[in-house]
Amino acid sequence: MSKPKDPSAPAAPSLSSRRWWQTLDEVDGAPAACGDEFPDGPPLTIGMRAPATETRRDFFKLMGLSATAAMAACRRAPEQKILPFTTKPDELIPGVASWYATACGGCDAHCGLLVKTRDGRPIKVEGNPAHPVSRGAVCAVGQASLLGLYDGDRSRAPRLAGQTDSWTHVDEKVRAGLVAAREAGKAIRVVVPWGIGRTEQAALSRLAADYGDVEVVRFDTMGEREAMADAYQALTGTRLLPEFRLDDADVIVGVAADFLGTWLAPGPLARQYAAARDADVRGRMARHVQLESTLTITGAAADARHALSPSQIVPALAALVRALMDGATGPAVALARRALGVLPTSQTPSFVEALARELRAAGPRGVVLCGGDDRRAQTLAALANALLGNHETAAILATPAFTLPETTRATLHAELREGRVGALLFAGVNPLLSDPELAAALDRVPLTVSTADRLDETAVRCGIHAPEGHAMEAWLDHAPRTGVETMGQPTVAPLFDTRPRLASWLAWQEQGQGKGRGQDAFGFLQARWQREHLADAGLALQDHWDNIVREGYFVAAPADAQPIPLTADGERLAAWLAATPATPASALELVLHESVGLRDGTHANNGWLQELPDPITKLTWGNVAALAPSRARDLGLSDGDVVELATSAGKVRLPVLAQPGVAPNVVAVAVGHGRAAARAGAIAGGHGADAFPLASGQAAGARFAGVAVSLTATGTQQPLALSQTHGSQEGRELVREVALGQALAATGEALPGHGKARNGEATPAAPKERHGNGLWAEHPYPGHRWGLAVDLAKCTGCAACVVSCNAENNIPIVGELEVRRRREMHWLRIDRYYAGTADDPEVVHQPMMCQHCENAPCETVCPVLATVHSGEGLNQQIYNRCVGTRYCANNCPTKVRRFNWFDYPHGDPVQRMVLNPDVVVRSRGVMEKCSMCVQRIEEARAQANREARPLADGDIRTACQQSCPTQAITFGDLNDPASAASRLRESGRAYHILEELNVKSQIAYLARVKNRGEHG
Amino acid sequence: MAEHQQGSDGADGHAALPALSPLRQPLVTAPRTLAAITDDIVGPMNRRPTWKWGAAFAVAVSLLLIGVGNVTYEILTGIGTWGLNRTVGWAFDITNFVFWVGIGHAGTLISAILFLFRQKWRTSINRSAEAMTLFAVMCAGVFPLIHMGRPWLAYFVFPYPNTRGSLWVNFRSPLLWDVFAISTYFTVSAVFWYVGLIPDLATVRDRATGLKRRVFGWMSFGWTGSARVWSRYETLYMLLAGLATPLVLSVHTIVSMDFATSVIPGWHTTIFPPYFVAGAVFSGFAMVLTLMIVARKVMGFEHLITLRHLENMAKIIIVTGGIVGLAYGTEFFVAWYSGSAYERFTFINRATGPFAWAYWTMVSCNVISPQLLWFKRLRTSPAALFVLSLVINVGMWFERFVIIVTSLHRDFLPSSWGSYAPTRVEVCTMLGSFGLFFTLFLLFVRVLPAISIGEVKAVLGFARAAGAGHGAPAPARQEAAE
Amino acid sequence: MRRLMAVFEEADQVVEAARQARGAGYAIADAFVPFAVHGLDEAMGLRRSRLTWVCFVAALTGGTLAMSFQLWTSVSSWPLNVGGKPFASVPAFLPVTFELTVLTAALVSAATFFARSRLFPGKRAAPLPRVTDDRFVLVVETDAPAAEALMRQAGAVEVTAVAEGGA
Amino acid sequence: MSGMTRWLFVLLVTSLAAAGCRVGTQQGHAPEQPIAFSHALHAGLYELDCQYCHAGAERSRHAGVPSGSVCLNCHSRVKTDSPEIQRLTSLVSANQPVPWIKVHRLPDFAFFSHASHVSAGLACQGCHGPVEQMVRVAQQESMTMGWCLSCHRDLREAKPAAPLPLATLVAARLPEAAHLPTRQLQPPTDCSACHR
């Protein structure tokens, strides 16, 4: 074990010279971690391999393994057939990709996507840069939703009472049930996700018209939107959701809201956040303060972070509101006074004063984002925003009004208890996963229907299962913001016998009387659009429509939503607040939170997301009970010790992880793991533990944060599948940081302690013979010289790039056991280091991919020339030449090379369809690594050639770059001084990792920038 | 007459020698006729194998089979059956490779260098030492092959004309240097060994009958013992020795370059070549010692492989052990002196990190234990030497393990730091290599003259030239003839 | 012409006999001995073998070929940018050059030796009895009784006259 | 002979064999096709343009084999009595693809783009031989990596000017096309040009 480097170093504003603390629990050497269990053949994985490679490899094996190979080598390879279309669709050219603009189905944000299809199958998801809300951002979940399309565990047919059946029967049964409910005067309730589009609302209103007492319940698993809507109802009388716009903010205060990772619309918010904090462009940088109970990537990105237990959140917010009140005007002041009146007051936390000062200074440019399902906290946050006056500015706006008759989950529970519900329809949502109480009440409902895409916890308890398939198979529009609609068009015909939800709603209208019956989903949707948007358009309808579908979105005037007027009556507000359940303090408070990958568990069967290392814990394939390191020490627990967590609601067994940044009296557990294979799918089964049973039973109020929990050690150990086990940089200058002042000062020339990213060249782009610090003349790169610039000031570690890379490059999924053996295959990983103290850490992220070194250590040592340098500065890996000595990987200073330890088998023919046909599928025994998306480079070059024009900057965007929500990654030609990448390398913040080795990395990192505000 | 001579010689030979040169133990304490020597050496080949030999052979073969089984499984399933990972890409495989190459060194070194230096005492051991070299290099050669992800494509490493426009190989890669070094070393050692074997094969032929005579006749190239051929033969043998000597040094130098030319802290160091060569000689002599002590017991060669041979080897072990110890120290000094944080960390980590146990095993086996050999009583006690030689071989195996694994498991980026633990397959593969080695060696001592008859006879000549040293033996003859 | 074949029991005797026989002007056809008898070749007046030159030339050729092949493949046949190193990375080519030098030298010398001595696998040999064990035989190109006497005097235990090509 | 020597021997034999008989080469491969289609007749005698049937050649990696319907454009009337045509018609009407046998095969780790080569103005015959004279198509060239490379290397030396792709000219409305720059062919010789 090494000691931290030089504790007495002066506290210069550069991470490198800050004191580094030792890693928490060095898993190295512990038998659990290095998995000495005997690997019995290839692990169960869904790694992907093209079918054709099999024969060829056997052929070569035969060749090499016996002297008869001589003969074998001369044999003709087995015959292949070509099966052309009998009648080729005109728009389809085999081998040419077509792109469709559509909407993401990954979460309720429904960002704009561009989906790349080859020969009729979607093979890649990219952000739609033109989309006004998401602006090209796609998160990890959005990227992985592609694999969800090819999830073989989705339902392949509708079910009646558990038995697969025909759609006609299903429809008859549903209609009959609905009629019965109406006749019996019972209520019909539809549980829908938040943010369902206008067309779907219209379809549901048709049902309402037909069947009388139809009300919808908007459901989100973690109850955050619900709580927020309740709060705003109390304040404004309408159940609206605020829509945040951070681009212009100066002070951003996050309260238990992981808005860069999981909260509301992480993609778009991250994009706005990056814009607000882009000092180079804005000349100033929004300051971000985060109050949270467990460490999230949002907290990691913050300039200042305060760890509070859930029970401390409301007092802190109350103190903040109180501090904001003086000097403020408007209706908010009175309301705030009433609200504070009924809330238990405690002593003001020390940091609140300074925070309030900063917020007041920012005024309308200050924003408070509050997460969690504690209505009191949500109300206070709303009041704080009102006091800042940003309800009148662009900082907070109302999301589009919801047109359907609506009721709350609490009411639904009551109705169910009273047996007033005659029909309960679940629109794809899965409440039973998190709400056992609902399950109990379900049996008394005559008609229960779920449109979930698989037989999940809810669908299995419903009489009828009408699977809705995947978002990429359906026409559906969404309204992410007032005045903006996203058009979701199908990119592939349904793989299975499923039917889009919209079609089901329409099919379930009462038959046989009057207008608009039997209309198909597309016709219905198009009709609505023509009615609402296209009627007044000057253009020819068809052109206009085609245009919208091509663009994937539509902006109706006015583009901006209404401000939020606070119209509530103080008395009623106070009464309501007093009635809402408080979050009590307890010795150990439980925080159940969504993880960046699986979110609420909807994506549990997605291998890419299961194997995606959590940006903070670096854990894959499961969840842990995260404790503050000091707390874990006191309890005598070390990583991997299995403990039993018990709340009033239930018990769960989980391994412990000492996680820096978790509040001292908090146990944080990610939900969405541990779903049964039968419910979520084969991949989800057997990994992690389901934490929902720990949620407090109450129907409303704080169910997931602040639950009193007890923790008892079981004495057993469970190895954790961590992709990174060492948290300290050991004082090595890997991730560098500069203070905001320096960053602004540095225009062009290098900052103290920052070598300019020039690899010792006279100019970065001199194509002629260059002499570096080397002994010999360097190879010239006369044409292009490709490189990347990675801005650590922008990177939030959200890992969207990692999944994007998986999808683009056919990277296999190796499974939990193999990750435990440290054999994950990711070409692009995100290194996470800690600074500061174990209980109040600072976190830095560093995307680490092949550095494409000009003096690449890996190339020199390969005996068979399987990895050599291209004429354009790329470090090429030629899989079919590789014999697998692994010498290159050993000699790689950044350890980015990945070896195929087994043939990662791919049983499932459905899943195989996700493979990118432009990238070869690697066989067992070969080395692989980041190619800087060379297939995209070649594609763009060929395109340019055909159009007889030179390649332009921006023609090529690597997979990681394209979907980065914060645009932290820039690809470009380093020989072109004007290219974005070259300009970034000229920045004073630019440096190369391990520059002292003179390997001449083609990847430049830009030092992280922190806005330490008044005390920084 | 012959009997009489033998008698008298035997008598005063024994009495006289210490008096003549008190410092010198006799090289060969054998009954003094050439025929007797032939009998002693060729005899065991004709007798039925002893039960000791049979037992040893059974063990060796079963180990070999275990190894074969596991290697087959590994090749059919994937390198993943080993404990390697993205951080530690080499461990048991290359450790065993370097270990065996090291073992393979003493053989040719003893033969060649000692021959060039006219060290007569080599004669009793050089034959089996060379055999040991060959077998050890075979064992070594297996590992680079099976450690490949796609061994069935191993022929890619040879620069043969091909249809890929001709795509050659990377002559800058130390691994490729290995390919040439190891195969050259094997070939030259084999030639050297076989050339030395030919006259003895003829001897065996001339005492044998039937099939055996035909086989050895074929193998002995029609050797007649013509003095003209003998003199040419001497030149050739001297040439081969001269070529083999730098070759021995080059091979382990090149093996050390597998590490020295890399960028990994703990590997990237210029002292590796001499350090590795010394280590190789060190381990090689230890292994020779092990084998000789067993062989002289099992085959009854006590009077041919005398305590003096053992003691000389023990002395060489002290020296090379000292060099190795010095190297360990130098590494640490350089790591500190270089000022490279990575180097420093690597070595601190070696001595105090997760693999400290391996490091200290290495130090105590290779640096501390050989110091016992300063005591003559231990140097001359076969039992003690046997134990020590085993200890040293364990230590040298750990030296390679430490260099490879502790350097790899924590290099530049802490984010990638990992660990390593061997799997059953790796352990069995290593046992298999020992099985292969001992199987071959036991067969060798059975079917081939394990000691160079011709050379021992030559030495005997000098031994019998009582006192007159290497000079003209004639006068001594007259005396004896009186 | 006939030859004398003298059988000795001791190495020194055959050396002595050879020296005296040459002194007496008899041509020595050959000697057959179980091991390389020290001084016998001088006694028989054999020239030093020229094998060393063969070895030297072979080494030169091998080395040159090795280096030029490496240069050709890496510089002219298909120059590839490997780790930014120059195409002609001469220092990196030295190890292989050295190995091939030694290899060719060793193999050529050995091959030459076997060829020159007409030794090859499976060659039928009619060795004299016990010369590969404990007898030393000197063959002289004469059958003069004086020579026989000389041999006996030098300690031959048995002297026989044999026909041309007897040995 | 054991251990290393055996392996060395095996490897030597294999590699020599590999070098000797050119692994994977299918030169002269001329499989019997399910329908006796004659390029000599269609491309030779009737001078149909290659891209009439192989429509993808200029736009896609794959030149593509025509769908049955394309054949029927003519053969719904022409030579409908021939049994071959009738077999084709029956397949199409049954909505079954014609199971053509692949003649020119590259291994799946080599990425070749017809578009790049055709739009560079190279003649199909350059790689496929005189197809217009072949009754049954046979693989003319060795189609080994060395064969590809030799052409790429030569053209890199020669730097010939390439005509603009038809698509570009069309896009540029021929008159302006005159002013478009001509291109120098610079075929890549980097590994990643074909191996990704």
Side-chain angles (χ1 to χ4, degrees), chain A residues 32-45 611 620-621 686-687 719-722 813-824 902 904, chain B residues 80 84-85:
Chain A
C34 51
D36 50 354
E37 63 274 277
F38 173 48
D40 289 313
L44 167 112
T45 72
E611 194 151 305
T620 68
W621 295 99
H687 302 287
L720 304 174
L722 293 160
I813 302 159
V814 300
E816 178 173 11
L817 184 57
E818 283 297 283
V819 176
R820 249 191 255 144
R821 297 192 188 121
R822 295 210 185 71
R823 292 175 182 174
E824 73 278 3
F902 297 107
Y904 296 110
Chain B
L84 304 170
N85 54 55

Side-chain angles (χ1 to χ4, degrees), chain A residues 568-588:
Chain A
D569 152 41
E571 292 309 322
R572 297 223 336 279
L573 174 66
W576 176 77
L577 266 179
T580 53
T583 304
S586 51
L588 201 53

Side-chain angles (χ1 to χ4, degrees), chain A residues 606-749:
Chain A
N606 190 311
W608 286 344
L609 293 175
Q610 282 279 12
E611 194 151 305
L612 179 69
D614 179 272
I616 296 298
T617 63
K618 290 296 163 192
L619 183 73
T620 68
W621 295 99
N623 53 347
V624 287
L627 286 168
S630 54
R631 187 60 171 248
R633 217 173 17 257
D634 301 346
L635 294 171
L637 296 169
S638 55
D639 292 359
D641 291 348
V642 178
V643 294
E644 182 170 81
L645 300 176
T647 66
S648 55
K651 292 177 162 39
V652 167
R653 283 173 165 244
L654 276 169
V656 162
L657 179 69
Q659 173 57 55
V662 175
N665 59 333
V666 162
V667 188
V669 180
V671 297
H673 295 267
R675 291 181 63 190
R679 299 283 75 79
I683 293 154
H687 302 287
D690 179 9
F692 280 119
L694 294 172
S696 80
Q698 54 186 318
R703 307 180 56 234
F704 301 110
V707 188
V709 62
S710 72
L711 176 149
T712 49
T714 63
T716 53
Q717 265 272 341
Q718 178 187 326
L720 304 174
L722 293 160
S723 72
Q724 180 180 349
T725 54
H726 196 91
S728 158
Q729 281 195 83
E730 298 297 331
R732 302 174 179 184
E733 295 210 338
L734 306 173
V735 180
R736 305 181 182 176
E737 180 186 316
V738 298
L740 177 57
Q742 282 175 290
L744 291 172
T747 48
E749 75 282 359

Side-chain angles (χ1 to χ4, degrees), chain D residues 30-78:
Chain D
E32 172 131 33
Q33 298 293 354
I35 290 176
F37 172 86
S38 161
H39 277 84
L41 182 70
H42 293 79
L45 185 57
Y46 298 131
E47 296 181 337
L48 290 183
D49 183 88
C50 303
Q51 294 197 42
Y52 176 75
C53 299
H54 304 288
E58 198 179 48
R59 286 171 295 178
S60 163
R61 258 173 65 190
H62 313 298
V65 169
S67 53
S69 57
V70 173
C71 310
L72 291 187
N73 288 352
C74 305
H75 284 293
S76 50
R77 281 178 301 289
V78 181

Side-chain angles (χ1 to χ4, degrees), chain A residues 1-2 26 28-29 34-42 56-57 60-61 63-65 722-726 728-730 732 734 821-824 829 831-833 848 857 859-865 879-887 889-895 897-899 901-903 923-926 993-994 996-997, chain B residues 73-90 93 147-157 160 162 164 167-176 257-259 261-264 267 341-342 345-346 348-349 352-354 408-425:
Chain A
M1 296 288 67
S2 80
E26 193 49 66
D28 294 349
C34 51
D36 50 354
E37 63 274 277
F38 173 48
D40 289 313
R56 195 186 82 254
R57 210 162 36 250
F60 275 126
K61 273 181 204 156
M63 214 171 82
L65 282 179
L722 293 160
S723 72
Q724 180 180 349
T725 54
H726 196 91
S728 158
Q729 281 195 83
E730 298 297 331
R732 302 174 179 184
L734 306 173
R821 297 192 188 121
R822 295 210 185 71
R823 292 175 182 174
E824 73 278 3
R829 68 172 193 264
D831 291 346
R832 182 267 295 121
Y833 298 108
M848 186 54 64
E859 293 173 5
T860 324
V861 298
C862 175
V864 294
L865 293 168
Y879 314 118
N880 44 302
R881 176 68 172 173
C882 177
V883 296
T885 67
R886 299 185 299 290
Y887 197 173
N890 289 340
N891 208 23
C892 172
T894 48
K895 290 279 173 285
R897 288 176 156 263
R898 296 291 176 255
F899 185 70
W901 300 99
F902 297 107
D903 267 328
S923 79
R924 163 191 132 203
V926 307
I993 194 162
L994 299 178
E996 59 271 41
L997 296 181
Chain B
Y73 171 69
E74 176 255 312
I75 289 181
L76 292 180
T77 317
I79 300 293
T81 55
W82 293 353
L84 304 170
N85 54 55
R86 59 163 159 77
T87 312
V88 182
W90 286 348
D93 44 6
H147 99 297
M148 287 184 182
R150 306 200 290 173
W152 51 91
L153 293 181
Y155 63 89
F156 276 5
V157 302
Y160 61 93
N162 54 61
R164 306 187 190 92
L167 177 58
W168 300 105
V169 294
N170 179 13
F171 287 105
R172 299 169 189 79
S173 163
L175 277 189
L176 201 80
M257 286 173 181
D258 284 348
F259 309 104
T261 61
S262 79
V263 299
I264 302 302
W267 284 11
Y342 308 114
F345 175 82
T346 300
I348 293 167
N349 181 50
T352 62
L408 279 178
H409 88 120
R410 291 181 172 178
D411 63 352
F412 293 100
L413 300 194
S415 63
S416 309
W417 286 5
S419 184
Y420 165 80
T423 65
R424 207 167 67 211
V425 181

Side-chain angles (χ1 to χ4, degrees), chain B residues 171-350:
Chain B
F171 287 105
R172 299 169 189 79
S173 163
L175 277 189
L176 201 80
W177 305 345
D178 273 351
V179 172
F180 282 85
I182 300 296
S183 37
T184 303
Y185 184 52
F186 181 80
T187 322
V188 174
S189 303
V191 170
F192 189 50
W193 178 70
Y194 198 80
V195 165
L197 205 45
I198 286 180
D200 294 0
L201 292 175
T203 310
V204 178
R205 171 198 64 197
D206 296 347
R207 296 164 56 94
T209 52
L211 174 64
K212 188 173 178 188
R213 183 184 183 91
R214 284 229 300 292
V215 172
F216 278 83
W218 192 88
M219 293 196 329
S220 56
F221 286 25
W223 179 270
T224 57
S226 144
R228 298 179 178 280
V229 176
W230 265 118
S231 82
R232 219 178 280 124
Y233 175 92
E234 289 266 280
T235 320
L236 173 67
Y237 199 77
M238 189 266 298
L239 279 175
L240 289 179
L243 289 167
T245 307
L247 185 60
V248 175
L249 303 184
S250 82
V251 170
H252 226 59
T253 304
I254 286 176
V255 168
S256 79
M257 286 173 181
D258 284 348
F259 309 104
T261 61
S262 79
V263 299
I264 302 302
W267 284 11
H268 179 80
T269 154
T270 46
I271 71 163
F272 264 16
Y275 168 8
F276 269 51
V277 171
V281 178
F282 185 51
S283 62
F285 268 88
M287 183 57 96
V288 178
L289 211 41
T290 320
L291 294 176
M292 289 303 123
I293 293 170
V294 176
R296 69 199 290 268
K297 264 257 154 312
V298 177
M299 312 295 298
F301 286 159
E302 279 87 350
H303 54 282
L304 294 173
I305 304 169
T306 60
L307 283 180
R308 174 151 165 247
H309 292 109
L310 304 188
E311 189 181 357
N312 285 0
M313 288 193 272
K315 286 174 182 166
I316 292 186
I317 286 179
I318 302 184
V319 176
T320 48
I323 301 177
V324 169
L326 178 64
Y328 295 164
T330 319
E331 275 190 316
F332 266 83
F333 171 77
V334 170
W336 165 77
Y337 190 69
S338 70
S340 153
Y342 308 114
E343 284 286 337
R344 288 181 187 184
F345 175 82
T346 300
F347 281 89
I348 293 167
N349 181 50
R350 240 180 224 185

Side-chain angles (χ1 to χ4, degrees), chain A residues 92 135 151 552 767 771:
Chain A
L92 190 150
R135 288 138 74 181
D151 182 346
H771 274 276

Side-chain angles (χ1 to χ4, degrees), chain C residues 6 20 25 30 32 34 37 53-54 56 62 91 96 101 104 115 130 137 152:
Chain C
Q20 294 175 6
D30 198 350
F32 298 90
V37 176
W53 291 106
V54 177
F56 179 67
V96 171
T101 311
T104 29
R130 293 181 69 178
V137 173
R152 294 217 178 274

